[in-house]
Amino acid sequence: MKLRLAFLYIISAILFCLIVVLAIGSKNNKEEKKEEEEKIEFESGSTIELLRSATGQIESLDLNYYLLCVVASEIPFSYEYEAIKAQVIVARTYLFNKIKNNKEELADVCDSYTHCQAFTDINKLEEIWKNKGFSEKEIKDGEDKIKKAIVETQGKIITYNGEIIDALFHASSPQKTEDASAIWSGVDIPYLKSVENVEDEDYERRTSTNVISYATFKNTLIGNGYIDDLTLDEFKNICISEYTASGRVKSIAVGLYRIKAEDLRSLFGLNSTNFTLNIEDENIEFNVLGFGHGVGLSQVGANTYARAGKSCDEIIHHYYTDVEIKDIDSEQMKRGKI
Ligand SMILES: [Zn+2]
């Protein structure tokens, strides 16, 4: 009797284990299937060629994966949903403008933010976010938010007079954005006009200061062929010589020379050309407002407007003058044409 009871126990235990194993297996299967389904829904079916600037290699990527990496590299996922959607449409438009005009010789686009758009692979970004203290759930939710914005705006691009626009954007330009013609040697781009801009004041790079010594300033300008010499007296008399229509600095007077503010920005790492000057002792101080060239959509501004209840379309129409938001289908996307 005891033996039979023991046998029954063993059989029940085996059966129980079997049920548990089967249940886990089927759960895993379901999860895998779910992941697969999500992946298929997210992928666009169009591929783009990305040039890796560090290695020179060209990779084929799904268009939506490319957009996910760009948008996640460009703005924090904590930004308002409508601002993220606007950045997605801008990123897609920027890409197709590159493709249509063959701006990248070897591929459709490259991963350098100075030449094309910022692009960091999502798994690298996940590591960065983790190191910044974001929880796994916050990271997953953030990624899902961007993916949703990509799928929801699928195929949408910005056009002017039926042509895909050069959708320039920047981080921050408190008060006013810049007219493209003020920066790029008088080229008038009708949809890239200076517009009023309201930005949250808590943006960490809203203001910045660069202090440069007389010696560094003089040697940098001489070394790059801008001036022949600079006396201390001339240094102390440096002043702003011209402003752009939007109120940014166009050039400064250094002795008998005029130096473009855009050149100063790259020579001395200024965050923008919206600055005031202060010269004390043997130092020149640049007090800078905003971050970036100031043309097109302001990312901080887009977030501010979204927080105030503006839609993604309203944000785009605010920053790009007289444009339309159009749908292109997957065939047009594949050819990069509209
Ligand atoms: Zn490029």
Side-chain angles (χ1 to χ4, degrees):
M1 190 68 181
K2 267 184 188 168
L3 206 69
R4 200 180 283 173
L5 214 60
F7 181 71
L8 265 174
Y9 274 133
I10 290 166
I11 292 290
S12 324
I14 290 171
L15 273 174
F16 178 73
C17 288
L18 253 172
I19 289 165
V20 169
V21 166
L22 281 174
I24 290 172
S26 106
K27 193 182 166 222
N28 283 347
N29 270 346
K30 266 186 203 158
E31 274 172 10
E32 271 168 27
K33 245 188 179 170
K34 205 179 154 208
E35 268 176 26
E36 192 91 332
E37 274 167 18
E38 275 176 7
K39 210 175 155 192
I40 290 162
E41 270 176 36
F42 177 65
E43 283 188 359
S44 68
S46 300
T47 48
I48 60 126
E49 306 280 301
L50 176 80
L51 171 70
R52 298 278 184 176
S53 37
T55 60
Q57 280 181 324
I58 294 169
E59 266 174 48
S60 292
L61 297 177
D62 180 76
L63 167 65
N64 282 358
Y65 175 77
Y66 167 79
L67 291 175
L68 170 68
C69 297
V70 166
V71 173
S73 308
E74 284 287 353
I75 50 171
F77 54 61
S78 59
Y79 269 23
E80 295 290 320
Y81 185 58
E82 291 299 310
I84 291 181
K85 271 166 67 184
Q87 182 77 48
V88 168
I89 297 174
V90 164
R92 189 183 290 115
T93 305
Y94 192 95
L95 166 75
F96 282 108
N97 181 274
K98 289 256 169 190
I99 295 177
K100 200 178 178 211
N101 295 302
N102 266 331
K103 287 187 181 171
E104 195 80 40
E105 272 178 37
L106 302 168
D108 293 326
V109 71
C110 75
D111 62 2
S112 158
Y113 76 94
T114 52
H115 189 251
C116 290
Q117 310 189 83
F119 178 98
T120 306
D121 279 292
I122 201 73
N123 52 352
K124 275 197 192 144
L125 287 171
E126 283 169 358
E127 259 175 56
I128 294 168
W129 293 329
K130 227 171 157 184
N131 292 335
K132 279 186 180 171
F134 287 104
S135 70
E136 280 193 16
K137 188 180 180 305
E138 283 169 326
I139 292 173
K140 194 188 172 296
D141 289 351
E143 271 178 40
D144 286 349
K145 190 172 167 188
I146 301 173
K147 282 181 175 176
K148 191 172 166 234
I150 292 169
V151 173
E152 224 176 274
T153 64
Q154 183 99 328
K156 288 200 186 301
I157 52 146
I158 311 165
T159 64
Y160 177 86
N161 260 353
E163 292 285 327
I164 189 159
I165 71 160
D166 191 3
L168 295 175
F169 59 90
H170 62 281
S172 152
S173 52
Q175 296 152 2
K176 270 184 177 179
T177 66
E178 185 55 287
D179 200 297
S181 65
I183 295 192
W184 294 288
S185 53
V187 182
D188 185 47
I189 305 175
Y191 50 84
L192 293 175
K193 294 285 177 202
S194 171
V195 296
E196 296 295 323
N197 192 28
V198 178
E199 291 188 359
D200 284 333
E201 290 186 10
D202 57 1
Y203 173 54
E204 71 271 20
R205 293 198 263 191
R206 183 180 171 91
T207 57
S208 55
T209 303
N210 296 58
V211 180
I212 297 144
S213 71
Y214 164 55
T216 305
F217 191 80
K218 175 182 160 180
N219 294 335
T220 307
L221 290 186
I222 292 175
N224 286 281
Y226 284 91
I227 57 172
D228 292 327
D229 196 14
L230 183 68
T231 65
L232 187 57
D233 256 6
E234 286 172 331
F235 177 76
K236 288 190 173 175
N237 285 313
I238 289 174
C239 61
I240 292 168
S241 53
E242 203 181 345
Y243 288 93
T244 69
S246 82
R248 288 170 170 250
V249 178
K250 193 162 190 180
S251 61
I252 66 166
V254 180
L256 295 173
Y257 301 91
R258 293 279 179 280
I259 315 278
K260 276 192 199 165
E262 267 304 312
D263 293 350
L264 288 172
R265 187 159 94 89
S266 52
L267 287 170
F268 299 106
L270 310 179
N271 280 354
S272 88
T273 55
N274 193 356
F275 58 76
T276 56
L277 284 182
N278 185 31
I279 299 161
E280 249 174 65
D281 303 323
E282 296 199 2
N283 289 316
I284 184 166
E285 192 179 278
F286 292 88
N287 293 302
V288 186
L289 196 58
F291 190 77
H293 52 55
V295 180
L297 177 137
S298 149
Q299 292 167 331
V300 178
N303 196 40
T304 309
Y305 284 119
R307 198 171 287 154
K310 297 276 182 209
S311 71
C312 134
D313 286 23
E314 284 172 320
I315 291 167
I316 287 171
H317 285 294
H318 176 72
Y319 289 111
Y320 303 105
T321 308
D322 296 333
V323 295
E324 285 178 79
I325 301 168
K326 281 193 174 166
D327 285 295
I328 54 169
D329 63 32
S330 57
E331 273 312 304
Q332 288 171 310
M333 274 198 269
K334 273 179 201 161
R335 295 196 309 273
K337 290 196 175 121
I338 56 161

